[in-house]
């Protein structure tokens, strides 16, 4: 069995995966309430919470661990918040020693890239390798609070970054936009709910880098445009137009993601596409990318909602499914790299 530990940001999570059976248990403790009053995650507070939460979650898993010995402890090695990662690494190192298990470091972004394949493994663990081989090469879009990446997975499972944002991540754009609109952190899901009642054509926001041949994404101009728009309106006008503002703002993010995903899909001979990361919870994004990939005759695998945000299930799965993982002592990823796939 693989026991996975995730603590890269404000979620403490553990998961148990039996290679022949799939995910046996998944536990998560979120800190959203704690950080809401600060308008974002405070790293030192988050790491202190991990110290409390991880042993409590482990206690819940002990009956299963006693029945089925753990051979591998898989831990997120980065990218992420350093105090949070180090808490998870120290916890996992102690756990691996106590359980006499090997310790494997998992790259958080690689885990996101592999997460759309989790359902395929769950449906038929024995037939997984053959089923996945029929879907490679694969183009994955990872959209989270910290990263926005298009990643190609080759037939030999090597990963290559095809494109990424040059500034903010899509989730960051959602959260910063929400803050400007007076909505609490994290605002992505709140923008989506309000956008459902709005007209996306009432307010127009910039859509990053318009050139089709340029796959790079950009989201920082969007929040500046929203700020200028809001400066022209008083509080009552903002409240009255909240749904339309959210709809226009969300449309600019989703249209850009779709345009770049489509352009990247057309440049390679991909046999499947993938969508994962926290922003992949967005129902409009899921629906429009589903339509787009269907029109290209390419199946789109979407990570299940519980595997979109930070979770340990995808970390356990990556330890099993990603041959590119370094095996041996887990070490922290190089914090100077913003997009590190090692
Ligand atoms: O993957 P994740 O937990 O972030 C990182 O670890 O980086 O995803 C969190 C991000 C936040 O920016 C949040 O606002 C966004 O995902 N998000 C959404 C939705 N649900 C979560 N964005 C848009 N629509 C949603 N429904």
């Amino acid at each position: 069995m693989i026991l996975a530990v995730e603590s890269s940001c404000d979620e403490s999570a553990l998961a148990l995966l039996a290679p022949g059976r799939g995910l046996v248990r998944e536990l998560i403790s979120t800190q959203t309430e704690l950080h809401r009053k600060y308008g974002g995650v405070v790293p030192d507070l988050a790491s202190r919470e991990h110290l409390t939460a991880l042993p409590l979650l482990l206690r819940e898993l002990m009956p299963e661990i006693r029945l089925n010995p753990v051979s591998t402890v898989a831990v997120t090695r980065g990218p992420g918040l350093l105090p949070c990662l180090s808490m998870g690494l120290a916890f996992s190192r102690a756990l691996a020693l106590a359980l006499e298990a090997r310790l494997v470091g998992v790259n958080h972004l690689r885990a996101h890239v592999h997460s759309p394949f989790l359902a395929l493994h769950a449906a038929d663990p024995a037939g997984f390798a053959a089923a996945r081989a029929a879907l490679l090469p694969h183009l994955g879009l990872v959209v989270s609070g910290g990263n926005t990446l298009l990643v190609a997975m080759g037939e030999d499972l090597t990963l290559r970054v095809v494109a990424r944002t040059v500034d903010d991540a899509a989730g960051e754009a959602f959260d910063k936009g929400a803050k400007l609109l007076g909505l609490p952190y994290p605002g992505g899901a709140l923008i989506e709910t309000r956008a459902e009642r709005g007209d996306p054509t009432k307010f127009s926001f910039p859509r990053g880098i318009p050139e089709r041949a340029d796959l790079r994404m950009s989201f920082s101009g969007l929040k500046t445009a929203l700020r200028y728009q809001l400066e022209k309106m008083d509080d009552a006008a903002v409240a009255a137009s909240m749904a339309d503002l959210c709809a226009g703002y969300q449309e600019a993010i989703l249209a850009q993601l779709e345009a770049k995903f489509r352009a990247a899909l057309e440049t390679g001979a991909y046999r499947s596409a993938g969508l994962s990361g926290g922003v992949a919870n967005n129902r409009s994004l899921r629906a429009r990318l589903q339509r787009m990939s269907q029109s290209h005759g390419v199946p789109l695998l979407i990570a299940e909602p519980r595997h979109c945000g930070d979770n340990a299930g995808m970390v356990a799965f990556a330890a099993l499914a990603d041959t590119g993982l370094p095996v041996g002592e887990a070490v922290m990823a190089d914090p100077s790299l913003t997009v590190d796939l090692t």
Side-chain angles (χ1 to χ4, degrees), residues 9 11 108 112 143-147 171-172 174-175 186-189 192 250 277-279 281-283 308-310:
C9 190
E11 256 96 34
H108 185 77
H112 271 309
V143 261
S144 72
N147 288 280
E172 205 174 340
F174 267 111
D175 296 340
E192 174 176 29
Q250 172 174 271
V279 181
N281 276 309
N282 188 288
R283 292 178 298 276
C308 283
D310 295 339

Side-chain angles (χ1 to χ4, degrees), residues 30-254:
T30 65
Q31 310 172 8
T32 315
E33 283 309 316
L34 172 73
H35 300 287
R36 185 162 289 146
K37 58 177 174 289
Y38 303 103
V41 179
V42 183
D44 286 350
L45 289 183
S47 78
R48 204 172 62 187
E49 286 299 302
H50 290 308
L51 180 62
T52 315
L54 289 171
L56 291 177
L57 297 180
L58 179 65
R59 193 172 297 165
E60 272 192 61
L61 289 185
M62 279 321 287
E64 254 123 353
I65 292 174
R66 284 202 187 94
L67 282 180
N68 300 293
V70 168
S71 56
T72 301
V73 174
V75 57
T76 303
R77 63 188 288 264
L81 301 173
L82 291 190
C84 300
L85 290 167
S86 37
M87 200 57 83
L89 276 156
F91 177 77
S92 302
R93 188 157 288 184
L95 205 53
L97 278 172
L99 297 171
E100 295 184 0
R102 71 176 184 148
L103 183 62
V104 174
V106 173
N107 181 299
H108 185 77
L109 293 174
R110 296 182 80 97
H112 271 309
V113 175
H114 283 273
S115 64
F117 290 95
L118 241 166
L120 202 65
H121 180 267
D124 177 14
F128 171 68
R132 180 178 58 185
L135 294 167
L136 302 177
H138 167 90
L139 179 70
L141 173 63
V142 178
V143 261
S144 72
N147 288 280
T148 300
L149 298 172
L150 278 161
V151 180
M153 186 188 296
E155 285 170 5
D156 57 357
L157 298 180
T158 49
L159 299 186
R160 181 175 56 87
V161 176
V162 172
R164 65 184 176 106
T165 174
V166 294
D167 40 54
D168 291 352
E172 205 174 340
F174 267 111
D175 296 340
K176 286 179 175 168
K179 198 169 185 176
L180 289 171
L181 289 163
L183 301 172
Y185 171 87
L190 300 174
I191 289 195
E192 174 176 29
T193 322
R194 279 153 187 78
E196 278 162 11
R197 297 188 300 272
D199 176 352
T201 63
K202 283 264 173 69
F203 296 94
S204 178
F205 295 103
R207 279 144 202 232
I209 300 161
E211 290 78 17
R212 245 187 76 81
D214 192 339
L215 294 178
R216 289 176 306 162
M217 293 167 270
S218 166
F219 296 97
S220 67
L222 187 57
K223 79 182 177 248
T224 313
L226 176 62
R227 188 155 50 80
Y228 287 149
Q229 177 60 49
L230 294 177
E231 278 169 10
K232 287 189 256 167
M233 302 165 80
D234 62 24
D235 289 353
V238 171
S241 299
M242 184 58 87
D244 293 336
L245 285 164
C246 286
Y249 193 77
Q250 172 174 271
E251 176 59 25
I253 297 175
L254 302 194

